[in-house]
Short mmCIF file of all heavy atoms in Angstrom, two decimals:
data_model
loop_
_atom_site.label_atom_id
_atom_site.label_comp_id
_atom_site.label_asym_id
_atom_site.label_seq_id
_atom_site.Cartn_x
_atom_site.Cartn_y
_atom_site.Cartn_z
N LYS A 243 -5.36 9.50 -20.82
CA LYS A 243 -5.49 10.66 -19.94
C LYS A 243 -6.85 11.34 -20.03
O LYS A 243 -7.44 11.70 -19.02
CB LYS A 243 -4.39 11.67 -20.28
CG LYS A 243 -4.32 12.83 -19.30
CD LYS A 243 -3.01 13.58 -19.46
CE LYS A 243 -3.00 14.92 -18.74
NZ LYS A 243 -3.55 14.88 -17.38
N GLU A 244 -7.37 11.50 -21.25
CA GLU A 244 -8.61 12.28 -21.40
C GLU A 244 -9.79 11.66 -20.64
O GLU A 244 -10.39 12.34 -19.81
CB GLU A 244 -8.96 12.50 -22.88
CG GLU A 244 -8.04 13.49 -23.58
CD GLU A 244 -6.66 12.91 -23.87
OE1 GLU A 244 -6.57 11.65 -24.00
OE2 GLU A 244 -5.68 13.67 -23.94
N PRO A 245 -10.12 10.39 -20.90
CA PRO A 245 -11.24 9.84 -20.12
C PRO A 245 -10.96 9.80 -18.62
O PRO A 245 -11.86 9.98 -17.81
CB PRO A 245 -11.43 8.42 -20.68
CG PRO A 245 -10.19 8.11 -21.43
CD PRO A 245 -9.61 9.42 -21.88
N TYR A 246 -9.68 9.60 -18.26
CA TYR A 246 -9.31 9.58 -16.84
C TYR A 246 -9.71 10.90 -16.19
O TYR A 246 -10.36 10.93 -15.14
CB TYR A 246 -7.80 9.34 -16.69
CG TYR A 246 -7.34 9.18 -15.26
CD1 TYR A 246 -7.23 7.92 -14.70
CD2 TYR A 246 -6.99 10.29 -14.48
CE1 TYR A 246 -6.80 7.76 -13.38
CE2 TYR A 246 -6.57 10.14 -13.17
CZ TYR A 246 -6.47 8.87 -12.63
OH TYR A 246 -6.06 8.72 -11.34
N ASP A 247 -9.32 11.99 -16.84
CA ASP A 247 -9.65 13.31 -16.30
C ASP A 247 -11.14 13.58 -16.37
O ASP A 247 -11.75 14.05 -15.41
CB ASP A 247 -8.88 14.40 -17.06
CG ASP A 247 -7.38 14.32 -16.81
OD1 ASP A 247 -7.00 13.67 -15.81
OD2 ASP A 247 -6.62 14.90 -17.59
N GLU A 248 -11.74 13.26 -17.52
CA GLU A 248 -13.15 13.61 -17.71
C GLU A 248 -14.07 12.82 -16.78
O GLU A 248 -15.08 13.34 -16.31
CB GLU A 248 -13.57 13.37 -19.17
CG GLU A 248 -13.14 14.51 -20.08
CD GLU A 248 -13.13 14.10 -21.55
OE1 GLU A 248 -13.88 13.18 -21.92
OE2 GLU A 248 -12.36 14.71 -22.32
N LEU A 249 -13.74 11.57 -16.54
CA LEU A 249 -14.60 10.74 -15.69
C LEU A 249 -14.39 11.04 -14.20
O LEU A 249 -15.16 10.58 -13.36
CB LEU A 249 -14.34 9.25 -15.95
CG LEU A 249 -14.76 8.71 -17.32
CD1 LEU A 249 -14.14 7.35 -17.58
CD2 LEU A 249 -16.28 8.62 -17.41
N GLY A 250 -13.34 11.81 -13.89
CA GLY A 250 -13.06 12.10 -12.49
C GLY A 250 -12.56 10.88 -11.73
O GLY A 250 -12.86 10.67 -10.55
N VAL A 251 -11.77 10.05 -12.41
CA VAL A 251 -11.27 8.81 -11.81
C VAL A 251 -10.22 9.14 -10.75
O VAL A 251 -9.47 10.10 -10.88
CB VAL A 251 -10.65 7.92 -12.91
CG1 VAL A 251 -10.02 6.67 -12.32
CG2 VAL A 251 -11.71 7.54 -13.93
N THR A 252 -10.19 8.35 -9.69
CA THR A 252 -9.17 8.51 -8.66
C THR A 252 -8.27 7.28 -8.66
O THR A 252 -8.63 6.25 -9.24
CB THR A 252 -9.80 8.66 -7.27
OG1 THR A 252 -10.51 7.44 -6.97
CG2 THR A 252 -10.77 9.83 -7.21
N ALA A 253 -7.14 7.40 -7.98
CA ALA A 253 -6.19 6.28 -7.95
C ALA A 253 -6.86 5.02 -7.38
O ALA A 253 -6.57 3.91 -7.82
CB ALA A 253 -4.97 6.66 -7.11
N GLU A 254 -7.78 5.20 -6.43
CA GLU A 254 -8.40 4.01 -5.83
C GLU A 254 -9.29 3.27 -6.82
O GLU A 254 -9.51 2.07 -6.69
CB GLU A 254 -9.16 4.38 -4.55
CG GLU A 254 -10.27 5.38 -4.77
CD GLU A 254 -10.72 6.06 -3.47
OE1 GLU A 254 -10.13 7.09 -3.11
OE2 GLU A 254 -11.65 5.55 -2.84
N ASP A 255 -9.80 3.99 -7.84
CA ASP A 255 -10.62 3.32 -8.86
C ASP A 255 -9.78 2.35 -9.70
O ASP A 255 -10.33 1.47 -10.38
CB ASP A 255 -11.25 4.35 -9.81
CG ASP A 255 -12.27 5.24 -9.11
OD1 ASP A 255 -12.94 4.74 -8.19
OD2 ASP A 255 -12.39 6.42 -9.48
N LEU A 256 -8.47 2.56 -9.69
CA LEU A 256 -7.60 1.75 -10.55
C LEU A 256 -7.19 0.43 -9.92
O LEU A 256 -6.66 -0.45 -10.59
CB LEU A 256 -6.31 2.53 -10.87
CG LEU A 256 -6.51 3.83 -11.63
CD1 LEU A 256 -5.16 4.51 -11.83
CD2 LEU A 256 -7.16 3.58 -12.97
N GLU A 257 -7.46 0.32 -8.62
CA GLU A 257 -7.05 -0.87 -7.89
C GLU A 257 -7.50 -2.14 -8.60
O GLU A 257 -8.66 -2.29 -8.97
CB GLU A 257 -7.66 -0.84 -6.48
CG GLU A 257 -6.99 -1.77 -5.55
CD GLU A 257 -6.26 -1.02 -4.44
OE1 GLU A 257 -5.75 0.08 -4.66
OE2 GLU A 257 -6.21 -1.56 -3.36
N GLY A 258 -6.56 -3.05 -8.83
CA GLY A 258 -6.92 -4.34 -9.42
C GLY A 258 -6.89 -4.36 -10.94
O GLY A 258 -6.83 -5.43 -11.55
N ILE A 259 -6.93 -3.20 -11.60
CA ILE A 259 -6.97 -3.19 -13.06
C ILE A 259 -5.68 -3.77 -13.65
O ILE A 259 -5.70 -4.47 -14.66
CB ILE A 259 -7.27 -1.76 -13.59
CG1 ILE A 259 -8.74 -1.41 -13.27
CG2 ILE A 259 -7.02 -1.65 -15.09
CD1 ILE A 259 -9.21 -0.07 -13.79
N VAL A 260 -4.57 -3.54 -12.97
CA VAL A 260 -3.28 -4.04 -13.47
C VAL A 260 -3.22 -5.57 -13.42
O VAL A 260 -2.41 -6.19 -14.11
CB VAL A 260 -2.11 -3.42 -12.68
CG1 VAL A 260 -2.14 -3.86 -11.23
CG2 VAL A 260 -0.77 -3.79 -13.30
N ASP A 261 -4.08 -6.19 -12.63
CA ASP A 261 -4.09 -7.65 -12.59
C ASP A 261 -4.64 -8.25 -13.88
O ASP A 261 -4.45 -9.43 -14.14
CB ASP A 261 -4.91 -8.15 -11.39
CG ASP A 261 -4.22 -7.84 -10.07
OD1 ASP A 261 -2.97 -7.96 -10.02
OD2 ASP A 261 -4.90 -7.45 -9.11
N ILE A 262 -5.34 -7.45 -14.68
CA ILE A 262 -5.91 -7.98 -15.92
C ILE A 262 -4.81 -8.39 -16.91
O ILE A 262 -4.77 -9.55 -17.32
CB ILE A 262 -6.91 -6.98 -16.54
CG1 ILE A 262 -8.11 -6.83 -15.59
CG2 ILE A 262 -7.36 -7.45 -17.92
CD1 ILE A 262 -9.06 -5.71 -15.97
N PRO A 263 -3.88 -7.48 -17.29
CA PRO A 263 -2.83 -7.95 -18.20
C PRO A 263 -2.00 -9.09 -17.61
O PRO A 263 -1.65 -10.03 -18.33
CB PRO A 263 -1.97 -6.70 -18.45
CG PRO A 263 -2.44 -5.65 -17.50
CD PRO A 263 -3.81 -6.04 -17.07
N ARG A 264 -1.72 -9.04 -16.31
CA ARG A 264 -0.93 -10.11 -15.71
C ARG A 264 -1.61 -11.46 -15.80
O ARG A 264 -0.96 -12.50 -15.88
CB ARG A 264 -0.66 -9.78 -14.22
CG ARG A 264 0.26 -10.78 -13.53
CD ARG A 264 0.00 -10.89 -12.03
NE ARG A 264 -1.41 -11.05 -11.69
CZ ARG A 264 -2.06 -12.21 -11.64
NH1 ARG A 264 -1.43 -13.33 -11.92
NH2 ARG A 264 -3.33 -12.25 -11.32
N SER A 265 -2.94 -11.45 -15.79
CA SER A 265 -3.66 -12.73 -15.73
C SER A 265 -3.86 -13.37 -17.10
O SER A 265 -4.45 -14.44 -17.21
CB SER A 265 -5.02 -12.51 -15.05
OG SER A 265 -5.83 -11.68 -15.87
N ILE A 266 -3.38 -12.73 -18.15
CA ILE A 266 -3.55 -13.31 -19.50
C ILE A 266 -2.60 -14.49 -19.68
O ILE A 266 -1.40 -14.41 -19.37
CB ILE A 266 -3.30 -12.22 -20.56
CG1 ILE A 266 -4.42 -11.18 -20.47
CG2 ILE A 266 -3.24 -12.84 -21.97
CD1 ILE A 266 -4.13 -9.91 -21.21
N GLU A 267 -3.15 -15.56 -20.17
CA GLU A 267 -2.40 -16.81 -20.35
C GLU A 267 -1.09 -16.54 -21.11
O GLU A 267 -1.09 -15.82 -22.11
CB GLU A 267 -3.27 -17.78 -21.15
CG GLU A 267 -2.84 -19.20 -21.04
CD GLU A 267 -3.87 -20.13 -21.70
OE1 GLU A 267 -4.76 -19.64 -22.41
OE2 GLU A 267 -3.76 -21.34 -21.49
N GLY A 268 0.01 -17.13 -20.64
CA GLY A 268 1.28 -16.96 -21.32
C GLY A 268 2.02 -15.69 -20.92
O GLY A 268 3.03 -15.34 -21.52
N THR A 269 1.51 -14.98 -19.89
CA THR A 269 2.14 -13.73 -19.47
C THR A 269 3.01 -13.95 -18.24
O THR A 269 2.60 -14.63 -17.30
CB THR A 269 1.05 -12.68 -19.13
OG1 THR A 269 0.32 -12.40 -20.31
CG2 THR A 269 1.68 -11.39 -18.60
N GLN A 270 4.23 -13.40 -18.27
CA GLN A 270 5.09 -13.40 -17.08
C GLN A 270 4.98 -12.07 -16.34
O GLN A 270 4.99 -12.04 -15.12
CB GLN A 270 6.55 -13.66 -17.47
CG GLN A 270 6.84 -15.11 -17.82
CD GLN A 270 6.65 -16.06 -16.64
OE1 GLN A 270 6.72 -15.65 -15.50
NE2 GLN A 270 6.38 -17.31 -16.94
N VAL A 271 4.93 -10.98 -17.10
CA VAL A 271 4.83 -9.66 -16.47
C VAL A 271 3.69 -8.87 -17.13
O VAL A 271 3.62 -8.78 -18.36
CB VAL A 271 6.15 -8.86 -16.60
CG1 VAL A 271 5.99 -7.45 -16.03
CG2 VAL A 271 7.29 -9.59 -15.87
N GLY A 272 2.81 -8.34 -16.30
CA GLY A 272 1.75 -7.47 -16.77
C GLY A 272 2.07 -6.05 -16.36
O GLY A 272 2.62 -5.80 -15.29
N LEU A 273 1.75 -5.09 -17.23
CA LEU A 273 2.06 -3.69 -16.93
C LEU A 273 0.85 -2.80 -17.19
O LEU A 273 0.01 -3.10 -18.04
CB LEU A 273 3.20 -3.19 -17.81
CG LEU A 273 4.50 -3.97 -17.77
CD1 LEU A 273 4.69 -4.70 -19.10
CD2 LEU A 273 5.66 -3.05 -17.53
N LEU A 274 0.80 -1.72 -16.44
CA LEU A 274 -0.23 -0.71 -16.65
C LEU A 274 0.47 0.65 -16.69
O LEU A 274 1.26 0.98 -15.81
CB LEU A 274 -1.25 -0.74 -15.52
CG LEU A 274 -2.45 0.19 -15.68
CD1 LEU A 274 -3.39 -0.30 -16.78
CD2 LEU A 274 -3.23 0.30 -14.37
N PHE A 275 0.18 1.42 -17.73
CA PHE A 275 0.77 2.75 -17.90
C PHE A 275 -0.30 3.81 -17.74
O PHE A 275 -1.40 3.66 -18.26
CB PHE A 275 1.37 2.88 -19.31
CG PHE A 275 2.51 1.95 -19.59
CD1 PHE A 275 2.27 0.70 -20.15
CD2 PHE A 275 3.81 2.32 -19.29
CE1 PHE A 275 3.33 -0.16 -20.43
CE2 PHE A 275 4.87 1.46 -19.56
CZ PHE A 275 4.62 0.22 -20.13
N ARG A 276 0.06 4.88 -17.06
CA ARG A 276 -0.91 5.97 -16.88
C ARG A 276 -0.19 7.31 -16.84
O ARG A 276 0.84 7.44 -16.15
CB ARG A 276 -1.66 5.74 -15.56
CG ARG A 276 -2.59 6.84 -15.16
CD ARG A 276 -3.49 6.36 -14.04
NE ARG A 276 -2.80 6.18 -12.76
CZ ARG A 276 -2.58 7.17 -11.89
NH1 ARG A 276 -2.96 8.39 -12.16
NH2 ARG A 276 -1.98 6.92 -10.75
N ASP A 277 -0.73 8.30 -17.54
CA ASP A 277 -0.17 9.65 -17.47
C ASP A 277 -0.46 10.25 -16.11
O ASP A 277 -1.55 10.11 -15.58
CB ASP A 277 -0.85 10.55 -18.52
CG ASP A 277 -0.25 10.38 -19.90
OD1 ASP A 277 0.98 10.51 -20.02
OD2 ASP A 277 -1.02 10.12 -20.84
N THR A 278 0.52 10.94 -15.54
CA THR A 278 0.25 11.68 -14.31
C THR A 278 0.00 13.14 -14.67
O THR A 278 0.27 13.56 -15.80
CB THR A 278 1.44 11.62 -13.33
OG1 THR A 278 2.50 12.39 -13.90
CG2 THR A 278 1.92 10.20 -13.11
N SER A 279 -0.46 13.89 -13.69
CA SER A 279 -0.76 15.30 -13.97
C SER A 279 0.51 16.10 -14.26
O SER A 279 0.46 17.17 -14.84
CB SER A 279 -1.52 15.90 -12.79
OG SER A 279 -0.84 15.60 -11.60
N LYS A 280 1.67 15.55 -13.86
CA LYS A 280 2.92 16.29 -14.06
C LYS A 280 3.60 15.95 -15.38
O LYS A 280 4.77 16.32 -15.59
CB LYS A 280 3.90 15.98 -12.92
CG LYS A 280 3.45 16.53 -11.57
CD LYS A 280 4.45 16.10 -10.50
CE LYS A 280 3.89 16.29 -9.11
NZ LYS A 280 4.53 15.38 -8.15
#
Side-chain angles (χ1 to χ4, degrees):
K243 188 165 167 45
E244 288 74 26
Y246 185 94
D247 292 342
E248 280 161 26
L249 292 166
V251 176
T252 63
E254 60 198 88
D255 294 327
L256 298 178
E257 197 114 328
I259 289 184
V260 65
D261 291 321
I262 294 171
R264 185 208 48 86
S265 66
I266 293 166
E267 199 172 12
T269 296
Q270 284 296 336
V271 176
L273 304 110
L274 185 71
F275 296 92
R276 174 167 71 85
D277 278 307
T278 70
S279 50
K280 292 177 195 154

